[in-house]
Amino acid sequence: MSIGAVVMAAGQGTRMKSAVPKVLHEIAGRPLVGWVLDALAGVRVTNTVVVVGHGAEAVKAVLPAQAKVALQREQHGTGHATQIGLRALDRSCDTVIVLSGDTPLLERDLLKRLVRSHTRSGRAATLVSAILDDAGRYGRVVRDGSNVRIVEARDASATELAIQEINAGLYIFDRAKLERALRRVGRDNAQGEVYLPDVLPLVGGDIGVLVSQNPDVVLGVNSRVELAECGAIIQERLRGRLLVAGVAMPDPTAVYLDADVVVEADAVLHPGTHLQGTTSIGPGCVIGPNVVANNCVIGAGTTALFAHMSDSVIGAGCQIGPFAYLRPGVTVEDGGKIGTYVEVKNSRVGKKAKVPHLSYIGDADIGDGTNIGAGNITANYDGFRKHRTTIGVGVKTGSDCVFVAPVSIGDRAMTAAGSILTHDVPAGALGIARARQENLEGFTERAEAKARAAMKRDGKRSR
Ligand code: UD1
Ligand code: MG
């Protein structure tokens, strides 16, 4: 037996009220269809076809390179989508799993059980059902002795609507029997569509029904409300996994995780922590409150609070924030510090180097152990092009310096406060680039006398 899969992902999802195709709506940084494909990856499937239609190009763009795609130009229902998918499916697949791209909670275990129970039974079709307290708009499983059929909510009678067992929209079929049945299915329903569940009475013989023990795993997303509900369940799963693995969260409900995030044991995630993309957090880090980290690698024992960082690599034992902004391309070496009201972009901050207060560091290399004074700016843009600033090892810059790039400050050099450095400073030198201070002795007394005289004159005139 060789198993193929058809994932139906062509629908618009009108109830989402969105310009984005439904299966591209994201949960935990992954599109709905990505969750489905991830679950499928754990099953012995030799060929997968994703049926695309609405926003086909955009949907294709998020699929793995090896995914086979079939185009359903006009969406005439799930049966029609399946037909189109089957045409593209490898001929060698004699058994086919059909599933929807809008069921992000689907788990590998359920798919494995479906394959197992179907294979053992030798039936033409097995479908997955679940018992829901509120069956909503799901198709109802109508059992009549050993006969099973699905009635869509909009086509159901009052008695059928009261049924709590719903069609999960996940099936496995004998391919040849499914293809034959699909050719005979009509469109006699409220939507005038070809409904996939309508093949069930036509495939021949009894239909297997696998009732999912956990009703959550089959929830489909058809509206923003359902997207939010599934999102909450996935967040709980992701957080649960980290808690079990030894990550501390004083308030788990206030931590938001993307699917591919990695956090090591003994890290603490405080409320308002959003870990996104491929972010990984080393052991013993203290992250939050209020940190957004997108595609960042953070080494062991680093603390970050009130910070926004993306596409950056932060070493071990670093301090980030409060109120720090790390834009893409930043490397902070071990023991480095990016402090309060500091923005850094496309720069390297060396080992134990510190940028503690009120600075903009862009396109710069800062050497190990260097201390940047308060309020320093790298002027990296001349109005046309970006240039780099190089600051050596063990440098101490004064407060309120501007480095007009391209410019280079040598190792162990210093810069005087308030300097605008347009020329390189050699190693070990002090760079001063500001007007020299002049003190006017007795100025205040003279100024006061002048003012008094002027007031006297004005007073006489006005009388
Ligand atoms: C479907 C089932 C319903 C089941 C529910 C489970 C049918 C007729 N109904 O309803 O019994 O309870 O799933 O979630 O199958 N799609 C296409 N092309 C089309 C139409 C749909 O690719 O022409 C795709 C959609 O993008 C979606 C999936 O098929 O990913 C299911 O379609 P949807 O419109 O969401 O069906 P439901 O109303 O949820
Ligand atoms: Mg649906």
Side-chain angles (χ1 to χ4, degrees), residues 110 113 128-131 168 209-218:
L110 180 63
R113 267 191 290 133
V128 176
S129 76
I131 315 292
V209 180
L210 175 67
V211 185
S212 170
Q213 293 310 310
N214 176 359
D216 280 357
V217 302
V218 302

Side-chain angles (χ1 to χ4, degrees), residues 434-455:
R434 64 181 186 214
R436 227 172 236 289
Q437 183 169 334
E438 197 185 333
N439 296 333
L440 304 177
E441 294 289 344
F443 174 86
T444 316
E445 211 168 292
R446 286 197 299 280
E448 281 171 355
K450 240 185 185 169
R452 270 197 303 272
M455 284 191 288

Side-chain angles (χ1 to χ4, degrees), residues 306-323:
F306 297 91
H308 190 291
M309 37 199 175
S310 47
D311 303 284
S312 291
V313 179
I314 294 150
C318 296
Q319 277 173 271
I320 309 293
F323 311 112

Side-chain angles (χ1 to χ4, degrees), residues 371-441:
N371 190 81
I372 303 294
N376 280 205
I377 305 282
T378 53
N380 56 334
Y381 185 49
D382 61 13
F384 304 98
R385 289 188 304 153
K386 299 281 170 69
H387 303 279
R388 289 198 80 81
T389 298
T390 307
I391 300 178
V393 169
V395 171
K396 292 174 180 141
T397 72
S399 296
D400 199 23
C401 286
V402 177
F403 301 90
V404 182
V407 70
S408 153
I409 312 298
D411 292 348
R412 294 179 43 73
M414 296 174 75
T415 63
S419 290
I420 296 181
L421 298 137
T422 52
H423 297 289
D424 291 354
V425 178
L430 170 68
I432 310 180
R434 64 181 186 214
R436 227 172 236 289
Q437 183 169 334
E438 197 185 333
N439 296 333
L440 304 177
E441 294 289 344

Side-chain angles (χ1 to χ4, degrees), residues 95-96 114 117-119 121-128 148 170-175 177-178 181 196-197 199-210:
T95 304
V96 58
L114 175 63
S117 85
H118 178 77
T119 318
S121 74
R123 290 190 165 116
T126 305
L127 72 104
V128 176
V148 174
L170 167 60
Y171 325 75
I172 185 165
F173 294 97
D174 174 285
R175 180 187 188 161
K177 288 180 179 155
L178 171 61
L196 176 61
V199 300
L200 296 171
L202 304 175
V203 289
D206 287 355
I207 303 302
V209 180
L210 175 67

Side-chain angles (χ1 to χ4, degrees), residues 317-337:
C318 296
Q319 277 173 271
I320 309 293
F323 311 112
Y325 182 26
L326 278 66
R327 289 163 53 198
V330 174
T331 302
V332 183
E333 307 273 7
D334 294 352
K337 174 172 181 165

Side-chain angles (χ1 to χ4, degrees), residues 15 22 78 100-103 137-138 168-169 218-223 226:
R15 281 171 53 218
K22 179 168 75 174
T78 47
S100 300
D102 67 351
T103 53
R137 301 191 189 211
Y138 288 96
V218 302
L219 295 183
V221 171
N222 298 300
S223 67
E226 287 161 354

